Amino acid sequence: MRAPLGNFDDARPAPDCLDQLTAPVANAVRAWEGGVPAEQLLYVDTDPAIADTAVFAEHHGRTLLDVSANCVVVAGKRGGETSLAACVVLSRSRVDVNGVVRKQLGARKVSFAPMDTATGETGMEYGGITPIGLPSGWPLLVDSAVVDTEWVLIGSGRRRGKLIVPGKTFAQLPGAVVLEGLGIDVA
């Protein structure tokens, strides 16, 4: 089937592509109980060499920056304790780590988690981290602009492949908190 966004001719329901997903993402899709049917989570095969946002948009069209999202892992510190959370913002934005995230997590200091921590804790590949299948108990901070986007392109847990999901899905994921101003437009 043709994808609802971009120029992807071969979009398939994610439940039919579990072998293309990392274990945490496949498990989340297999056990899906979201507000939209699992069949509306679509998988498209993409070249892992162009997985990074800027290169991907250059290859597939810069308009994807308005409908693509990035999921980043942050580490919040307070009183010697470190906690992890994930943030989802549109690709044309950057995460307001020192403002919105720090306040929401009640942390003294917040920074992007080291790559080894992000991949080790999520079980996903760097450059493909997705909010679908994150560890239970993690806060998931989602910019309201993502939720307001009809269809969103996001990582699949691997550098190869992307998921296309209805934007409203992000508000229904475990641990999700929708926040205004989490993403600061840079484009």
Side-chain angles (χ1 to χ4, degrees):
M1 90 174 68
R2 181 136 177 87
L5 57 80
N7 58 359
F8 308 103
D9 291 327
D10 188 24
R12 295 176 289 155
D16 296 345
C17 305
L18 297 177
D19 61 329
Q20 300 298 312
L21 307 172
T22 60
V25 179
N27 291 339
V29 171
R30 194 176 291 112
W32 188 256
E33 294 180 358
V36 301
E39 291 71 29
Q40 285 189 19
L41 308 177
L42 303 176
Y43 175 83
V44 292
D45 189 34
T46 59
D47 182 350
I50 60 168
D52 294 326
T53 302
V55 178
F56 192 84
E58 195 63 38
H59 185 268
H60 287 284
R62 300 205 49 80
T63 56
L64 282 181
L65 293 175
D66 293 328
V67 293
S68 298
N70 290 326
C71 181
V72 297
V73 178
V74 297
K77 297 178 183 177
R78 181 174 192 85
E81 297 281 324
T82 300
S83 59
L84 299 174
C87 302
V88 179
V89 299
L90 290 176
S91 297
R92 67 172 189 250
S93 306
R94 66 177 175 79
V95 177
D96 184 4
V97 173
N98 293 313
V100 175
V101 175
R102 189 175 61 77
K103 181 179 177 185
Q104 182 66 32
L105 296 180
R108 183 183 51 76
K109 180 181 178 187
V110 176
S111 58
F112 294 105
M115 181 174 63
D116 290 348
T117 300
T119 57
E121 294 292 325
T122 63
M124 300 179 201
E125 295 177 5
Y126 190 75
I129 294 176
T130 184
I132 297 170
L134 288 171
S136 64
W138 274 28
L140 172 60
L141 310 182
V142 181
D143 187 78
S144 59
V146 174
V147 175
D148 293 340
T149 303
E150 184 177 10
W151 289 94
V152 178
L153 180 81
I154 192 133
S156 67
R158 297 177 59 206
R159 289 184 64 83
R160 168 167 228 117
K162 301 283 185 188
L163 295 175
I164 300 174
V165 300
K168 64 185 177 184
T169 304
F170 295 94
Q172 302 162 0
L173 292 172
V177 178
V178 178
L179 300 167
E180 289 283 333
L182 176 63
I184 300 170
D185 280 353
V186 293

